[in-house]
Amino acid sequence: MQQAVSLHQSGQLGQAVAGYEQILASDPQHFGALNMLGVAMHQLGQSDRAISLIKQALQVKSDYVGALGNLGKIYDDLGQMELAIDAYDQALVLKPDLADVLVNKSALQHALKDYAGALISAQRAIELRQDLPQAFNNRGNAQRALGQIQQAIQSYDAALALDPAYVDALCNRGSALQADGQSQLALESFDRAISVDPNFAAAHVCRGDVLRELEQWQGALTSYERALRLRPEDAITHVNCGVTLQSLRRPSDAVAAFDRALQLDERLVEAHYNRGVSLNELKRLEEALAAYDRVIALRPDSVQAHANRGHVLNDLGRHRECVAALRHALTLNPDDALTHANLVYAMMYQADFSAADILAEAQRWDQMHARKHGLQIAPHTNSVDPERRLRIGYVSPDFWGGHCQALFSVPLLTHRDADAFEIFVYSHTGQSDNVTALLQRHVAHWCDTRALSDDQLAQRIRDDQIDILVDLTLFMANGRPLLFARKPAPVQVAWLAYPGTTGLSAMDYRLTDPYLDPPGENDDLYSEKSLRLPDTFWCYDPLTSEIDPGPVPASVNGYVTFGCLNNFCKVSDDTLRLWGRVMSSVPRSRLLLLAPAGQHRRRATDLLGEYGIEADRVEFVEFVPRSQYLEYYRRLDVCLDTFPYNGHTTSLDAFWMGVPVVTKRGHTIAGRAGWSQLNNLGLTELHAEDENGFVQCAVELAGNLVHLQELRSGLRARMRASPLMDGARFAVGIEAAFRQMWRQWCASRVTA
């Protein structure tokens, strides 16, 4: 027996097995040989036979502690954790001072999420022996899981004092430091682990996690890629790699990473979900929808999958389905403020909802999510002087040239009255460019707020003594409505990107104009006080003048080309049917639409087909950079507006490029944008009050090429001469509105 064990310990398994079998041939009840042969069989991959042999040993000697320990280890290796713990417990009943067994048991308890039990077992092992680094490591793991972060760090330090090259403890220590907010020290711990073992994949993964948290995307990607070279079958790391690629704005590469993760584990919900996010960014909308459907099939209660599914349905123009998806997400989590905000905004795309319906939903949002943040609003200490220099703060995620908001913020901020108004910008813009730099030169204070929570930003705004805080986004992408719910400034105003009511009891004013909201009308449809600017809600700067309108295309083509370059989410079924009526009345006319590739294009051609419009008369184009997008207008004779949500920026782009836009005045503010713009251009003949008038206007315009050429030749000059492009005039108007608001606030303080 001693000879066989010696051979076993030296790694000569074949000879050791032969020795054990020789013993058992002469003594089948030799429990020592049965036990050790079982250990050898497990090492040789014959685990079932190993278990059988050790159980035979225990039948011979039921109090055989060593056999119970070995049985537990085999079950442990096989992932049969409950059976392993049962074997360890039997051994510990017989011999409570087995520190190694306690260490193994604590690791299993942690894996089974019995963190309190794991802590007790690890602590007991430490009391028995002070020289086991694994025991201190396991104690740290249990403490970290129980939220005892500082104690966990101390345990890992104790493990490393015994074994400075213990890479698991180094990695776990790094994770604890990361959880404690000590990111740089965490990185140092992971780097130490990698210096000890460059092939320790987990350390590379953890290092990538910290760098991703620090938004050091390229470094995170490098760490994940190194981990995957060592452990290419790690599906979760492929997902983390993909999420990092999303942040690097490489959605195609991100999709490829998620695809690799799903090849390894087709049921990995995180991969399907993030794949949907990237596909949506790539405008591969049907594929994104399918990805979210797969998430829901695997996890029906995924609120975010239902919500994102709603966003995609909206982009596809399937507005009723969008609202249904968002409402379902809210049944799963009524406290989801973001999804509820998206629902309010999505309602504006549906003719089924009136302005009163939208107001009611916005006020529900306020009641459910916002008002609790305003229960303890501290009094504002701003100087009550109606005529002093005011501090104006603008809040937005879109202070850069890649977003249409820049076309309107540039004219205002470059013409501000610096003597009367001190400008603060609170920007959570994810990227910057030459437009960002231009705006920064024209404002006194620029604050990057990406790292600030709503509470932190609210305090920053209070500390800055902002008098009037202006929201430019609200319920649109990356807005911060819950910041405004905290009322960090005495006067709060909604303007620009979000055209409707906020519903916020903490929002004092909304800016509008005399055409979006005629005086004496509609004021009861907004929770805020409506303050009308003198001429226009928008002041536009195309930020380019390099592309000229060119001649009327119909004069060369021999047919009229209608078009709409609005986001396709505005192209409702009713809009398509109205366009079909127009095209059927203009023989050989064509239609150019901006829409990402996918089956939703078929919806457009099918609906137009009901009016005899062949599919080859409809051309679809993709999203492109702004310069190429403006070139599309050179191919259009007449733009047709969308309903119930008009084009806003796209209509101004059309006018700039010499293309008239035919519109119909709607029943909500989003549907009166065209009417407002045409009034400011002096071209109200291009609007209609009903569908028949819309068709008549578009058909008559298409039939008069001389008039079309006159419009094309003069629209840019008309734009430049109008309030729509008079930045100085607009700045005076909006700053007069700010002064009026401030005087009213001061008067209310004096009265109080």
Side-chain angles (χ1 to χ4, degrees), residues 2-46:
Q2 290 176 352
Q3 184 181 20
V5 171
S6 178
L7 290 165
H8 194 163
Q9 290 173 340
S10 66
Q12 301 178 61
L13 283 183
Q15 295 179 52
V17 167
Y20 298 140
E21 289 177 337
Q22 184 179 353
I23 295 169
L24 291 170
S26 60
D27 182 2
Q29 300 298 305
H30 195 296
F31 55 82
L34 286 166
N35 175 50
M36 292 306 297
L37 181 59
V39 173
M41 288 296 103
H42 178 58
Q43 290 173 311
L44 290 168
Q46 300 181 38

Side-chain angles (χ1 to χ4, degrees), residues 289 293 306-329 343 346 350 352-353 573 603:
L289 190 64
D293 285 342
H306 285 286
N308 284 13
R309 185 175 184 274
H311 302 159
V312 175
L313 288 165
N314 193 62
D315 288 344
L316 290 169
R318 293 160 60 176
H319 301 118
R320 290 184 177 86
E321 294 175 80
C322 160
V323 169
L326 294 173
R327 288 199 188 283
H328 184 72
L343 172 62
Q350 268 202 58
D352 298 349
F353 298 110
D573 289 0
R603 173 178 69 89

Side-chain angles (χ1 to χ4, degrees), residues 692-744:
N692 289 335
F694 179 89
V695 173
Q696 180 180 350
C697 180
V699 171
E700 289 179 355
L701 190 60
N704 190 340
L705 296 188
V706 173
H707 185 42
L708 278 177
Q709 186 57 60
E710 291 173 351
L711 286 171
R712 199 173 193 90
S713 301
L715 258 175
R716 181 168 290 189
R718 187 186 286 258
M719 278 280 285
R720 284 178 167 143
S722 78
L724 292 171
M725 289 187 68
D726 191 336
R729 175 173 175 167
F730 184 79
V732 168
I734 202 169
E735 290 175 346
F738 291 156
R739 183 63 66 182
Q740 178 182 340
M741 297 171 195
W742 185 248
R743 288 169 178 157
Q744 291 176 355

Side-chain angles (χ1 to χ4, degrees), residues 239-454:
V239 173
N240 290 342
C241 195
V243 171
T244 305
L245 287 162
Q246 286 176 333
S247 298
L248 286 167
R249 300 186 181 276
R250 294 168 55 183
S252 295
D253 293 333
V255 170
F258 300 133
D259 286 342
R260 285 192 292 273
L262 291 169
Q263 288 169 1
L264 295 164
D265 184 356
E266 201 280 333
R267 297 181 62 81
L268 196 58
V269 170
E270 295 83 357
H272 286 293
Y273 174 81
N274 285 293
R275 185 172 181 271
V277 172
S278 290
L279 288 167
N280 191 16
E281 187 175 349
L282 290 166
K283 302 300 180 184
R284 291 160 57 180
L285 300 180
E286 273 89 5
E287 293 176 79
L289 190 64
Y292 293 132
D293 285 342
R294 182 60 180 148
V295 173
I296 292 167
L298 293 168
R299 190 178 293 168
D301 61 348
S302 173
V303 176
Q304 202 54 51
H306 285 286
N308 284 13
R309 185 175 184 274
H311 302 159
V312 175
L313 288 165
N314 193 62
D315 288 344
L316 290 169
R318 293 160 60 176
H319 301 118
R320 290 184 177 86
E321 294 175 80
C322 160
V323 169
L326 294 173
R327 288 199 188 283
H328 184 72
L330 287 172
T331 64
L332 296 170
N333 182 12
D335 296 327
D336 187 342
L338 178 59
T339 296
H340 198 172
N342 290 333
L343 172 62
V344 176
Y345 186 54
M347 290 172 67
M348 304 187 77
Y349 291 89
Q350 268 202 58
D352 298 349
F353 298 110
S354 66
D357 295 329
I358 296 168
L359 171 63
E361 195 64 53
Q363 290 177 320
R364 270 192 292 275
W365 188 92
D366 179 54
Q367 182 68 45
M368 293 184 66
H369 312 293
R371 289 194 183 183
K372 60 187 177 184
H373 296 291
L375 295 177
Q376 297 179 331
I377 295 174
H380 295 96
T381 60
N382 304 55
S383 170
V384 183
D385 178 351
E387 306 307 323
R388 66 175 172 81
R389 189 183 189 214
L390 297 180
R391 293 187 164 202
I392 311 296
Y394 293 94
V395 179
S396 173
D398 298 314
F399 291 111
W400 67 295
H403 193 279
C404 63
Q405 185 187 102
L407 308 181
F408 309 106
S409 55
V410 166
L412 172 61
L413 295 179
T414 55
H415 290 88
R416 81 269 177 255
D417 182 348
D419 293 332
F421 301 92
E422 186 176 3
I423 305 300
F424 292 70
V425 163
Y426 300 98
S427 168
H428 44 288
T429 303
Q431 56 187 311
S432 59
D433 57 13
N434 61 326
V435 173
T436 312
L438 170 66
L439 292 172
Q440 287 175 328
R441 290 196 298 272
H442 285 277
V443 301
H445 310 277
W446 190 282
C447 177
D448 184 343
T449 64
R450 286 175 294 172
L452 300 181
S453 68
D454 286 338

Side-chain angles (χ1 to χ4, degrees), residues 8 45 73 90 123 152 209 239 273 293 319 324 443 450 496 506 508 530 560 574 611 728 731-732:
H8 194 163
K73 187 64 173 67
Q90 291 181 56
Q123 183 60 41
D209 291 344
V239 173
Y273 174 81
D293 285 342
H319 301 118
V443 301
R450 286 175 294 172
L496 193 55
D508 303 293
S530 296
V560 169
D574 289 342
Y611 295 87
V732 168

Side-chain angles (χ1 to χ4, degrees), residues 20 166 264 342 411 462 487 533 619 621-622 726 731 739:
Y20 298 140
Y166 189 2
L264 295 164
N342 290 333
R462 279 184 173 272
K487 193 72 170 177
L533 298 173
E619 180 183 356
V621 292
E622 300 273 0
D726 191 336
R739 183 63 66 182

